[in-house]
Amino acid sequence: MHDLIPKMFFAALSAAVLSWPTSRADSSSDQQALQADSISLAETSDSTHSAHGTAADTQPAPPPGPIPDSVSGYLIPGLPFVEPPTIRSRHGVLKLELTAMATPVRISGKLVNARVYAATAYGETYPPSYVPPILALDPGDNLQITLKNELGEPTNLHTHGFFISPMGNQDNIFVDLPNGGAFLYNYELPATLSPGLYWYHPHYHPLVEEQVFGGLAGYIYVRGLKQLLPEHLQDVPERFLHLKDFQFNRENTIPARNINSDNPTHRTVNGLVQPTMGMEAGGTQLWHLGNIGADIWYNLELSGLEFTVIAEDGNPVDRAWTATQLLMPPAKRFDVLVQAKKPGAYQLITTQMNTGPWGDDYPQALLATLNVTGPAREPAALPTHIQPFDNLAHATVTQERVFDLSENPNTNKFFINRRVFKPNHVDATPLTGTVEEWRFRNTSLELHPIHLHVNDAQVMSVNGVPQDARSLVDTIPIPYATKDAEGKLVPGEVVMRFKFRKFVGPYVFHCHILAHEDRGMMSIINVTSPGSE
Ligand SMILES: [Cu+2]
């Protein structure tokens, strides 16, 4: 099995080895290693996991049959809030089968053609659903997912936020699982994995947007957050709110081609349009919020109530912070405490917003209604501190890097350092145990949320303003460029630090607006150990 590790990655590189870019700054011994592995790849050409990006690979699935309106029915708003089932680990192991398929499912009462997961685990069958089961784990667990592909096109799986190896059958987004195939992912979670909300979704370039937009995205919850709360809050009710949006065409199919994220869309919470939730006056609830849609943003408000953030992107914060608005780019997660003193109907909305002159405009939308009942009552005291984190502000930085984010609105291509993603191009080769400082400069006129796999980031400054980080994070909006008084373009800029703690191997960073990622805004880093070069 070990042999497969480099081969799967270098399968993705195989075409490249023939024309290795001259601009690559890495050592020539690296290059020799790549060539050596590409030779061994040839010996395994019968492997079901072939290179990414060939014409045959990215052949899209044929469109599904239309669903007549008489069969599809209508979206029903205001249904009671429900959550998907949870599959829990047992004795340190969670073993399940996940099947990605194109099939009709009901979303808030309406039948639409979607791309979704079905699951089986411990003798239970979980039918295909727009919101798949929540996988609940403890730090240190072993997660074994057999992914079966019935989509009609290739796919794979990414565990967003996990601090695990990017190689072999762990968080390896270079795996190419063809239609009809199966692949065993075997994730070894570190005992130190931080508690909070994570998620899973396909990462098969360049079909990621359509697969996530079709419905292929679910939650992973790593337990232990409640134990970080004061004792009087450790048994508060929890709610998992999956934020996903979908569009459907005349044939009642979620589009897979030419998705326009600026089109009118249906925002859903747990696959429901504007569901109703309940809470007792004076009560406290722990909400797990994640934007697991493909492209669009949320700016949440709850009728002026405060969200008390206790974790961000699966990282408990050192100081709890409160906000009446939560900006959530695609992939963003917050674990928050919510309280209401007085009874009433509180509206969870996403406000009107736009993502820049070249970006999208979203109208305000009601997401859910929280009905608070009973006599007014003072809620419990909230915590101010949750858990310290490994603050990198005073770390020794061994390497600085600059990444330019740009786009061409005419060709609809998106670039990092003026290149579209190439499976053969490595942009950086950090060493384990070091801290690097990366400067992202956005010269385009829209926001781009940047996500690095495996290692979380500490935001140091935004547009030159120093930031006092409360935790590490994994999805960071980079502000768009503006013009100064003389009309000169001033890039939006975020400086962040990464500590490459442990895992070696190639992995990616990219814009998590998946249309941008699919159209080029992604790049590879290859982490090595000092002495292994
Ligand atoms: Cu982007």
Side-chain angles (χ1 to χ4, degrees):
M1 210 51 202
H2 262 102
D3 270 351
L4 273 178
I5 292 170
K7 279 174 198 160
M8 262 181 252
F9 168 58
F10 293 113
L13 291 179
S14 58
V17 176
L18 301 172
S19 57
W20 196 251
T22 50
S23 60
R24 188 171 178 269
D26 304 331
S27 72
S28 59
S29 58
D30 256 359
Q31 189 169 340
Q32 281 159 12
L34 291 170
Q35 284 168 338
D37 272 294
S38 74
I39 293 163
S40 60
L41 172 75
E43 296 157 12
T44 59
S45 56
D46 59 339
S47 160
T48 52
H49 303 106
S50 56
H52 264 210
T54 64
D57 270 334
T58 51
Q59 206 60 247
I67 301 174
D69 283 343
S70 56
V71 174
S72 173
Y74 299 96
L75 286 173
I76 305 168
L79 292 169
F81 176 86
V82 290
E83 291 175 326
T86 297
I87 307 176
R88 292 183 171 76
S89 60
R90 300 175 178 194
H91 311 293
V93 180
L94 201 167
K95 207 170 169 176
L96 76 153
E97 217 176 82
L98 212 51
T99 305
M101 56 173 77
T103 186
V105 292
R106 290 218 177 262
I107 305 179
S108 219
K110 184 177 178 70
L111 194 67
V112 294
N113 284 309
R115 284 126 180 269
V116 293
Y117 293 115
T120 57
Y122 304 110
E124 293 267 347
T125 297
Y126 303 85
S129 171
Y130 184 61
V131 183
I134 299 167
L135 311 181
L137 297 152
D138 288 308
D141 277 354
N142 170 218
L143 170 62
Q144 296 178 27
I145 301 179
T146 302
L147 179 68
K148 294 188 166 176
N149 182 3
E150 297 176 8
L151 278 178
E153 62 185 34
T155 191
N156 62 18
L157 197 66
H158 169 50
T159 49
H160 186 119
F162 272 6
F163 179 62
I164 54 173
S165 169
M167 309 240 297
N169 54 3
Q170 298 211 52
D171 194 17
N172 180 352
I173 59 100
F174 300 101
V175 167
D176 176 347
L177 180 60
N179 182 47
F183 186 79
L184 173 66
Y185 287 93
N186 196 339
Y187 306 102
E188 298 287 351
L189 278 56
T192 53
L193 189 66
S194 57
L197 188 60
Y198 298 77
W199 63 296
Y200 58 96
H201 66 84
H203 213 298
Y204 185 86
H205 183 82
L207 305 179
V208 187
E209 179 195 27
E210 59 163 271
Q211 293 187 3
V212 172
F213 194 60
L216 290 163
Y219 277 179
I220 301 173
Y221 187 62
V222 175
R223 288 177 292 217
L225 211 45
K226 276 181 162 182
Q227 286 86 317
L228 301 177
L229 296 175
E231 216 171 315
H232 70 275
L233 293 174
Q234 289 192 356
D235 58 354
V236 294
E238 285 181 86
R239 304 276 182 266
F240 288 87
L241 287 81
H242 303 65
L243 307 178
K244 297 173 109 168
D245 72 291
F246 77 107
Q247 303 167 14
F248 56 90
N249 62 19
R250 279 197 208 117
E251 301 185 326
N252 294 307
T253 296
I254 298 177
R257 299 283 163 269
N258 304 316
I259 297 163
N260 182 353
S261 59
D262 220 0
N263 279 349
T265 193
H266 300 278
R267 310 244 188 184
T268 64
V269 176
N270 295 356
L272 298 169
V273 175
Q274 302 166 2
T276 54
M277 307 170 67
M279 186 162 90
E280 263 178 49
T284 304
Q285 291 185 352
L286 173 56
W287 286 10
H288 306 289
L289 299 163
N291 177 1
I292 57 170
D295 297 307
I296 73 170
W297 297 57
Y298 289 75
N299 189 37
L300 299 184
E301 276 186 12
L302 183 56
S303 295
L305 294 184
E306 282 184 339
F307 303 102
T308 299
V309 176
I310 62 166
E312 180 172 350
D313 295 343
N315 289 289
V317 295
D318 62 351
R319 293 149 287 151
W321 52 284
T322 59
T324 53
Q325 288 193 336
L326 290 176
L327 180 66
M328 299 184 72
K332 195 75 192 164
R333 290 97 62 218
F334 289 110
D335 301 279
V336 301
L337 295 170
V338 171
Q339 297 184 321
K341 181 179 167 183
K342 294 180 187 156
Y346 296 83
Q347 294 192 321
L348 179 67
I349 63 163
T350 181
T351 67
Q352 185 276 329
M353 70 168 284
N354 78 76
T355 60
W358 290 350
D360 291 349
D361 276 300
Y362 308 124
Q364 179 173 312
L366 174 66
L367 302 176
T369 304
L370 177 66
N371 289 316
V372 176
T373 52
R377 201 160 56 88
E378 204 57 49
L382 291 174
T384 53
H385 290 76
I386 307 297
Q387 192 180 50
F389 72 103
D390 182 12
N391 196 313
L392 305 177
H394 304 291
T396 304
V397 172
T398 55
Q399 181 82 44
E400 293 179 5
R401 302 182 196 272
V402 179
F403 296 104
D404 274 303
L405 307 176
S406 59
E407 61 185 83
N408 182 335
N410 299 318
T411 58
N412 214 7
K413 294 270 187 218
F414 295 80
F415 311 95
I416 294 178
N417 286 353
R418 292 163 295 282
R419 286 170 176 275
V420 293
F421 175 74
K422 288 271 187 308
N424 58 338
H425 181 75
V426 174
D427 245 324
T429 53
L431 298 176
T432 53
T434 65
V435 173
E436 297 200 356
E437 187 167 279
W438 292 11
R439 183 176 303 264
F440 283 91
R441 298 170 74 250
N442 182 356
T443 58
S444 80
L445 296 185
E446 71 172 310
L447 290 164
H448 296 290
I450 287 295
H451 168 54
L452 175 74
H453 289 203
V454 183
N455 284 288
D456 290 346
Q458 179 168 338
V459 176
M460 303 304 295
S461 69
V462 176
N463 282 347
V465 179
Q467 303 288 304
D468 186 11
R470 300 168 177 107
S471 70
L472 302 180
V473 292
D474 69 30
T475 304
I476 300 115
I478 315 297
Y480 50 82
T482 50
K483 286 194 174 146
D484 67 11
E486 282 89 54
K488 204 173 136 252
L489 202 69
V490 181
E493 194 174 275
V494 175
V495 176
M496 55 186 92
R497 288 185 180 179
F498 296 96
K499 186 172 183 181
F500 295 90
R501 287 158 210 271
K502 180 174 172 186
F503 296 110
V504 298
Y507 50 96
V508 292
F509 64 98
H510 59 91
C511 177
H512 224 293
I513 294 172
L514 295 174
H516 299 179
E517 181 265 279
D518 279 344
R519 292 175 194 141
M521 200 175 267
M522 178 157 77
S523 183
I524 298 173
I525 71 169
N526 189 15
V527 179
T528 55
S529 304
S532 74
E533 289 182 296

